[in-house]
C-alpha cells in the first residue's frame, strides 16, 4: 500500500498535488495538513497530531464526517510528521510526504532527515511537491525527467564515495562528495532516466523545477 502524509508546510499547486493521489492510496493528515486536504477536497483516512496547528473548523468538519483521529499531547519529543511516518511504516510499501517543505527551514530540514526512517526499514519515502522531489538513497536510485530538468546531489553523510551518475548532462564515475562540496548542485537530465549509485555513504537527491 502507498501512503500519502499531508503535512502543514506549503503546497503551491493543489492540482498537481491532488493528481498525485490515487483512489487506493491511504491518506494521513499530520495535524495542520487538514487544511490542505480540505482545500483539495480530499477525504483522509486518518488524522494524527496534537491539533495545535489546525483550526477548530477542520477538526469539527472531519469529526462530523467520521474520520478517525489519533490525538497526541502537545508536550512530546517528536513532530506530528515524525509520528505519522512511524505509524505509516507499520503497513505501507511506499510513503510520500506532501506539504513537507516551506518557510520554516527547521521543519523542512527535519522532514528531509526523516526520510532516513525509510532506509532503515527498506521502505521508500520521498517528498513530492510542485517544485521539488526529494529522495534519500544509500545504494541505487533511478529518477525520471525531461531533458534539461534540474537535479542536485547533496551528501547526507559526511562523505559519499563511489558515486556514479549516468544519463545526465554531467555524468560522474567513481566520484566523491563531501558536505562542503557543491559539485552535485544543478546538474541536468540528458536522458529521460538518470541512474545514480553510490558505494559508501548516504545521498540526498533533489529533482527541481526553476
Amino acid at each position: 500500500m502507498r501512503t500519502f502524509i499531508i503535512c502543514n508546510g506549503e503546497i503551491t499547486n493543489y492540482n498537481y498535488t491532488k493528481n498525485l493521489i490515487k483512489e487506493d492510496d491511504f491518506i494521513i493528515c499530520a495535524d495542520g495538513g487538514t487544511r490542505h486536504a480540505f482545500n483539495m477536497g480530499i477525504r483522509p483516512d486518518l488524522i494524527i497530531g496534537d491539533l495545535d496547528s489546525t483550526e477548530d473548523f477542520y477538526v469539527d468538519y472531519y469529526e462530523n464526517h467520521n474520520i478517525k483521529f489519533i490525538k497526541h499531547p502537545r508536550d512530546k519529543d517528536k513532530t506530528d510528521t515524525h509520528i505519522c511516518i512511524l505509524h505509516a511504516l507499520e503497513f505501507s510499501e511506499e510513503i510520500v510526504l506532501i506539504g513537507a517543505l516551506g518557510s520554516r527551514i527547521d521543519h523542512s530540514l527535519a522532514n528531509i532527515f526523516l526520510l532516513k526512517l525509510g532506509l532503515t526499514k527498506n521502505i521508500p519515502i520521498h517528498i513530492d511537491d510542485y517544485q521539488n522531489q526529494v529522495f534519500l538513497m544509500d545504494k541505487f536510485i533511478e529518477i525520471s525527467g525531461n531533458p534539461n530538468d534540474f537535479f542536485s546531489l547533496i551528501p547526507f553523510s559526511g562523505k559519499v564515495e563511489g558515486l556514479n551518475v549516468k544519463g545526465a548532462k554531467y555524468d560522474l564515475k567513481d566520484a566523491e562528495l563531501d558536505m562542503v562540496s557543491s559539485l552535485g548542485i544543478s546538474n541536468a537530465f540528458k536522458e529521460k532516466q538518470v541512474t545514480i549509485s553510490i558505494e559508501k555513504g548516504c545521498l540526498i537527491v533533489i529533482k527541481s523545477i526553476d
Side-chain angles (χ1 to χ4, degrees), residues 30-45:
D31 203 332
T34 51
R35 65 186 171 93
H36 292 313
F38 181 85
N39 290 336
M40 290 186 287
I42 291 173
R43 180 186 175 94
D45 297 285

Side-chain angles (χ1 to χ4, degrees), residues 66-106:
N66 299 315
I67 303 301
K68 182 180 178 181
F69 282 74
I70 298 178
K71 298 180 181 179
H72 289 266
R74 293 188 178 185
D75 294 330
K76 56 188 188 303
D77 57 5
K78 293 179 177 66
T79 64
D80 293 318
T81 299
H82 191 169
I83 294 169
C84 288
I85 292 173
L86 292 176
H87 183 84
L89 284 170
E90 297 176 6
F91 57 85
S92 304
E93 297 174 347
E94 179 184 357
I95 299 172
V96 183
L97 307 182
I98 54 179
L101 306 175
S103 59
R104 283 286 301 268
I105 191 169
D106 51 347

Side-chain angles (χ1 to χ4, degrees), residues 2-199:
R2 184 172 67 166
T3 297
F4 276 83
I5 298 176
I6 306 176
C7 307
N8 191 34
E10 295 178 4
I11 296 180
T12 60
N13 188 319
Y14 278 141
N15 287 332
Y16 170 87
T17 303
K18 186 174 181 179
N19 287 333
L20 293 174
I21 301 173
K22 306 305 179 185
E23 187 175 350
D24 57 350
D25 291 328
F26 193 86
I27 303 170
I28 301 175
C29 283
D31 203 332
T34 51
R35 65 186 171 93
H36 292 313
F38 181 85
N39 290 336
M40 290 186 287
I42 291 173
R43 180 186 175 94
D45 297 285
L46 177 64
I47 296 170
I48 297 177
D50 54 25
L51 306 184
D52 69 341
S53 57
T54 188
E55 298 179 16
D56 290 342
F57 169 82
Y58 302 117
V59 175
D60 294 341
Y61 176 85
Y62 285 118
E63 284 183 337
N64 290 335
H65 284 77
N66 299 315
I67 303 301
K68 182 180 178 181
F69 282 74
I70 298 178
K71 298 180 181 179
H72 289 266
R74 293 188 178 185
D75 294 330
K76 56 188 188 303
D77 57 5
K78 293 179 177 66
T79 64
D80 293 318
T81 299
H82 191 169
I83 294 169
C84 288
I85 292 173
L86 292 176
H87 183 84
L89 284 170
E90 297 176 6
F91 57 85
S92 304
E93 297 174 347
E94 179 184 357
I95 299 172
V96 183
L97 307 182
I98 54 179
L101 306 175
S103 59
R104 283 286 301 268
I105 191 169
D106 51 347
H107 281 280
S108 296
L109 286 172
N111 289 337
I112 292 172
F113 293 165
L114 287 172
L115 300 181
K116 184 70 160 53
L117 295 172
L119 289 183
T120 60
K121 295 283 190 177
N122 200 28
I123 296 172
I125 307 176
H126 75 275
I127 295 170
D128 200 334
D129 64 26
Y130 181 64
Q131 281 81 21
N132 301 283
Q133 292 177 307
V134 186
F135 308 87
L136 191 64
M137 59 164 290
D138 60 358
K139 293 181 181 67
F140 175 88
I141 194 171
E142 184 174 73
I143 56 175
S144 301
N146 296 310
N148 299 317
D149 284 352
F150 291 109
F151 72 94
S152 293
L153 308 177
I154 301 172
F156 181 84
S157 55
K159 180 184 286 188
V160 171
E161 300 177 13
L163 169 63
N164 294 283
V165 178
K166 296 181 181 179
K169 182 177 180 180
Y170 305 107
D171 283 350
L172 293 172
K173 184 176 181 180
D174 199 28
E176 290 189 2
L177 289 180
D178 61 34
M179 296 186 75
V180 295
S181 171
S182 59
L183 174 66
I185 301 298
S186 289
N187 204 337
F189 283 74
K190 183 177 180 181
E191 310 292 339
K192 289 189 175 182
Q193 304 287 332
V194 168
T195 58
I196 304 161
S197 64
I198 58 177
E199 294 180 1

